[in-house]
Amino acid sequence: MAEPPRKGRFDGTWWVWAMAGALFVMYVAVSLRLHQRMFTSSYDLGIFQQVVRSYAEGHLPVSEVKGQDFPVLGDHFSPILALVAPFYRVWQGAETLLVVQAALLALSVVPLALWARRALGPLAGAAIGACYGLSWGIASTVGYDFHEVAFAAPLLVLSLTALGSGRLTAAACWALPLLLVKEDLGLTVLVIGLVIAWRGDRRLGLLTAVAGLAGSALALFVVLPAFNPGGSFAYWSLVQGPATGGHGATGGGGGSLLDLLDQGTIGLVTPLPKVTTFALLLAPTLFLAMRSPLLWVALPTLVWRFASSNNLHWGTSFHYSLVLMPIVFAAFVDALVRRGTSGRGLRRYLAGSAAITLMILPSFPLFQLVQPDTWRTDSRVTVARRLLAMIPDGATVQTSDHLVPQLADRTSVGLYGSTGSRPDPQWVMVDTWVPADQRWWPGQPLGVEEEQRRLAADRRNGYDLVAFQDGYMLLHRRA
């Protein structure tokens, strides 16, 4: 009697979950070590921690980092963050947000790998799942705080894998919750709806497209202006003014019609960082993703980023490319399926994708896992933690950018020197050793000399020096 054939190493689906679990551990390790070493920041981990804490305490989200009792629903429309609140009640700290983000990103690998496995075979499922999970857009997100768009990754993968598999109703259902993630993602839903209509279900597709457009319009023109103290969406100025290096906008600004025309045409592909980002986006797919209509779903995000006057939106750093990664890799799978790629040709594509992914990997934060400095803790961190422990729970505080996430779980903390911060806080703690070339960030509103003058004025006007060690100055307001 002949023996039954042995199952291959990648038969079944257990390895997909194992791969997702391994990636989750990697993401958590990088993000938690950055937080432990005090490399996280007020913009954005501090803000999002205050948002989630607000939901956990049962009220609409406010952020002291953005301004005294600033209503965050007037800044960005991301009510999906309320889903993190139950976890935050169990473990109140920035670590909860970082772990949730890692879980969302790791989970997004599973449906993509399973789709590739079904459509192209086990080897393709393993290779594409790994290349997506190690992609530079995900790595940049893991290496920079927490962001609401982490929720978009699994939703997009589930929607696009359903769309690529011909399950059009499921594609629409998974796309619609994107409206709760961020105000611009309604335009992504719009394009998904149009692709659904093109794929055969015109009624469903058009309804989805209308829902996406209406969702973004409602958020941008009704909800956000209603909550924003300025009465309008705060980021219109990003498409109205010259390029800047700032991380955010508060409104205002302006540009001529010629400026707007330039930003919407030649400005979409210049200067060079935009071309570099676009090339790196498609390179892991060997540019094959361009042969899939699913890539059109990336268009709204690419347009708003490249039309923005904030040059931080153009490059490969931070979290801005996270939304694009699921789209590009779903388009890669779809293109391979549409071409009928198999056998040696498929293996060549997979090997090329893996080679490019590994070549890019050392330039992005996941590579920190193999760098010795990642596992060392600077002595200044120990000093900072000892001084922070002297600030009692529930106190009002103003502090430096990288100290905000360390206090946001138990105090009312804003940025030292920010015009919107709560006046006369009970405690002030400032890292006076922040270099001048790192003070362009919104979380560092004061230059070195200005900060020194302000600290001296505080000590003359009611604040006692509690400690001053390794550059950290702790002040307490006299009763």
Side-chain angles (χ1 to χ4, degrees):
M1 183 176 178
E3 293 184 5
R6 294 181 179 179
K7 289 188 176 183
R9 184 167 43 177
F10 293 112
D11 288 343
T13 59
W14 66 268
W15 56 268
V16 177
W17 292 99
M19 178 169 58
L23 289 166
F24 169 73
V25 172
M26 293 172 63
Y27 302 157
V28 165
V30 171
S31 57
L32 288 187
R33 277 303 293 161
L34 287 169
H35 183 62
Q36 290 164 359
R37 295 165 67 203
M38 294 191 176
F39 288 152
T40 50
S41 58
S42 60
Y43 282 76
D44 292 310
L45 183 57
I47 292 173
F48 283 116
Q49 192 176 354
Q50 290 174 335
V51 169
V52 173
R53 181 180 171 185
S54 297
Y55 282 125
E57 293 174 351
H59 58 82
L60 291 177
V62 295
S63 173
E64 291 288 307
V65 172
K66 295 289 295 184
Q68 185 175 339
D69 294 324
F70 185 91
V72 179
L73 286 176
D75 189 54
H76 287 299
F77 184 70
S78 304
I80 201 167
L81 289 170
L83 296 179
V84 187
F87 302 98
Y88 193 81
R89 289 179 66 89
V90 174
W91 183 274
Q92 188 164 315
E95 296 84 356
T96 297
L97 278 67
L98 298 175
V99 171
V100 166
Q101 176 172 262
L104 290 168
L105 299 181
L107 284 172
S108 72
V109 174
V110 175
L112 181 70
L114 290 177
W115 177 36
R117 173 184 175 274
R118 289 193 307 270
L120 299 166
L123 181 60
I128 292 173
C131 289
Y132 166 71
L134 297 173
S135 63
W136 61 266
I138 287 183
S140 294
T141 301
V142 169
Y144 175 54
D145 289 6
F146 168 91
H147 296 90
E148 73 284 86
V149 289
F151 282 95
L155 290 171
L156 276 169
V157 170
L158 287 164
S159 178
L160 295 177
T161 55
L163 184 52
S165 302
R167 296 179 290 115
L168 304 184
T169 301
C173 290
W174 284 117
L176 290 174
L178 291 169
L179 297 173
L180 303 178
V181 177
K182 202 170 182 181
E183 61 278 356
D184 64 289
L185 289 175
L187 302 179
T188 301
V189 176
L190 164 66
V191 179
I192 291 174
L194 295 177
V195 177
I196 290 173
W198 180 79
R199 282 276 170 104
D201 194 331
R202 181 171 297 180
R203 182 175 181 274
L204 176 65
L206 292 179
L207 286 174
T208 304
V210 169
L213 182 60
S216 275
L218 185 65
L220 290 169
F221 296 105
V222 179
V223 178
L224 290 167
F227 281 96
N228 190 283
S232 66
F233 179 52
Y235 298 91
W236 290 126
S237 59
L238 292 178
V239 292
Q240 296 177 346
T244 67
H247 184 59
T250 57
S256 67
L257 181 60
L258 186 61
D259 292 333
L260 296 176
L261 182 62
D262 177 74
Q263 286 178 255
T265 53
I266 191 67
L268 293 176
V269 292
T270 59
L272 185 60
K274 299 178 184 180
V275 178
T276 302
T277 297
F278 189 73
L280 283 177
L281 186 67
L282 295 172
T285 74
L286 295 100
F287 293 86
L288 196 64
M290 297 182 73
R291 299 191 179 189
S292 167
L294 297 186
L295 191 62
W296 285 103
V297 179
L299 188 62
T301 299
L302 286 172
V303 168
W304 80 251
R305 284 183 59 189
F306 291 169
S308 170
S309 60
N310 184 344
N311 58 27
L312 296 182
H313 291 154
W314 306 341
T316 57
S317 300
F318 312 114
H319 60 290
Y320 299 118
S321 295
L322 175 61
V323 169
L324 300 174
M325 292 294 114
I327 301 169
V328 167
F329 279 90
F332 184 34
V333 176
D334 186 57
L336 289 171
V337 172
R338 291 162 65 87
R339 286 168 55 90
T341 312
S342 61
R344 185 176 298 177
L346 177 61
R347 289 193 292 272
R348 283 199 298 267
Y349 279 121
L350 297 177
S353 178
I356 292 172
T357 298
L358 292 175
M359 182 174 65
I360 295 173
L361 187 62
S363 300
F364 291 91
L366 288 180
F367 197 68
Q368 294 177 17
L369 289 170
V370 297
Q371 295 176 315
D373 285 348
T374 300
W375 308 105
R376 300 190 186 109
T377 301
D378 190 281
S379 60
R380 292 189 74 231
V381 172
T382 303
V383 171
R385 292 198 183 283
R386 181 174 59 80
L387 298 184
L388 290 169
M390 299 173 68
I391 300 174
D393 294 353
T396 56
V397 188
Q398 284 188 24
T399 191
S400 298
D401 176 54
H402 64 285
L403 300 178
V404 169
Q406 312 293 329
L407 287 169
D409 61 322
R410 61 184 187 86
T411 68
S412 177
V413 58
L415 286 165
Y416 185 70
S418 174
T419 55
S421 291
R422 188 179 298 274
D424 301 320
Q426 295 167 315
W427 293 82
V428 168
M429 183 167 169
V430 176
D431 182 359
T432 63
W433 286 4
V434 176
D437 61 358
Q438 294 181 17
R439 291 176 180 261
W440 54 270
W441 196 258
Q444 296 288 351
L446 300 179
V448 176
E449 294 181 359
E450 185 181 4
E451 183 179 87
Q452 291 296 325
R453 287 195 296 269
R454 185 177 180 119
L455 287 169
D458 286 342
R459 294 180 64 182
R460 290 193 303 268
N461 298 317
Y463 284 86
D464 293 325
L465 178 65
V466 178
F468 187 30
Q469 184 177 354
D470 285 0
Y472 289 108
M473 181 177 290
L474 179 63
L475 306 176
H476 180 234
R477 180 162 54 85
R478 291 190 292 272

